[in-house]
Amino acid sequence: MMKRIGIMTSGGDAPGMNAAVRAVSRKALTEGLEVFGINYGFAGLVAGDIFQIDAAAVNDVIKRGGTMLYSARYPEFEKEEVQLKGIAQLNKFGIDALVVIGGDGSYHGALKLTQHGYNAIGLPGTIDNDIPYTDFTIGFDTAVNTALDAIDKLTDTAASHERTFVVEVMGRNCGDIAMWSAVAGGAADVIIPEHDYDIEKVAAKLKSARQRGQKHAIIVLAEGVMHADEFADKLSKYGDFQLRATTLGHVQRGGNPTAKDRVLASQMGAYAVELLMQGKGGLAVGIQNNKLVSHAMTDLFNSKHESHLELHQLVEDLAY
């Protein structure tokens, strides 16, 4: 019978991770379980950096960005001998099951633990929104709003100096942050890995807009395509657009999570505990059509997140 559960955050930090830690902790405590936090992800598990969490430990963390459990990448966990060291620590602390908050790499580690007999549930904590079988990941909405705030400010400068800004946003090989912030920011164009682009057509669009009196523009570029400086250099060969390149970088990972991310993390965290109490493991939690769902982690490894590519077309339609 499950008596103790562990929680860890792994991989890149995402706003809302603390809200998820709080939800898992409070839900588990409500159900009469003991809760243990694992610092620094799988690296901390192997090192035994583990401590007990009570209700007071997660007071007010729902509003904080980053992760109170810290995070670290630990590719060494792919080796079975390293996994067994982690399991020895689970045995030492009497931990029966785990909730792992992170992205694709974190899910691989969680699945390994499940295969060794320690049920683990994965929560999608990543700003990239690149996890299959979930419409949204924890941290995505906050990252989009951070990018949008920067785009709004850059638009003011672009208008003042009649410039075109190429704004590079994060997302690895997923263009969701780029598309959502481009639509919300009124961008002239969005360049993403999932859709081909023609640099000459981008230039022609900017020239046409200038002829109609629109002398400034924002182009949102997903980092999975190329760097902003490189794109601006290529575009400059087709006209004098007064180009400036801006890379937003890791600022998109920080900050207080939005209400949407706090609610999503809370829902997913509580649901993860429910799944563990049912004796389930090797599952990843998601939200589809506003309903909580769970899928086998093995299914996720063979699938790809489906981006809302209609947003790419919407940018095109509204950039007239």
Side-chain angles (χ1 to χ4, degrees), residues 113-148:
L113 292 173
T114 299
Q115 291 169 342
H116 282 295
Y118 288 83
N119 282 343
I121 300 294
L123 299 187
T126 169
I127 68 168
D128 300 328
N129 209 46
D130 59 350
I131 303 295
Y133 299 113
T134 186
D135 294 334
F136 300 106
T137 58
I138 297 167
F140 170 71
D141 186 68
T142 307
V144 169
N145 278 279
T146 297
L148 177 61

Side-chain angles (χ1 to χ4, degrees), residues 269-297:
Y271 184 47
V273 175
E274 292 174 5
L275 292 173
L276 288 176
M277 291 182 66
Q278 296 167 18
K280 297 179 180 179
L283 299 176
V285 170
I287 189 163
Q288 293 178 303
N289 299 318
N290 290 320
K291 292 183 179 180
L292 292 171
V293 297
S294 61
H295 289 271
M297 289 178 182

Side-chain angles (χ1 to χ4, degrees), residues 104 107 124 126-138 140 171-180 192-194 286-288 299-311:
D104 180 75
Y107 285 3
T126 169
I127 68 168
D128 300 328
N129 209 46
D130 59 350
I131 303 295
Y133 299 113
T134 186
D135 294 334
F136 300 106
T137 58
I138 297 167
F140 170 71
R172 294 201 301 178
N173 292 315
C174 178
D176 281 13
I177 293 177
M179 287 187 291
W180 284 76
I192 59 174
E194 299 92 336
I287 189 163
Q288 293 178 303
D299 291 344
L300 272 67
F301 301 151
N302 298 316
S303 305
K304 187 177 181 181
H305 168 71
E306 295 182 6
S307 294
H308 299 277
L309 290 178
E310 67 273 11
L311 294 179

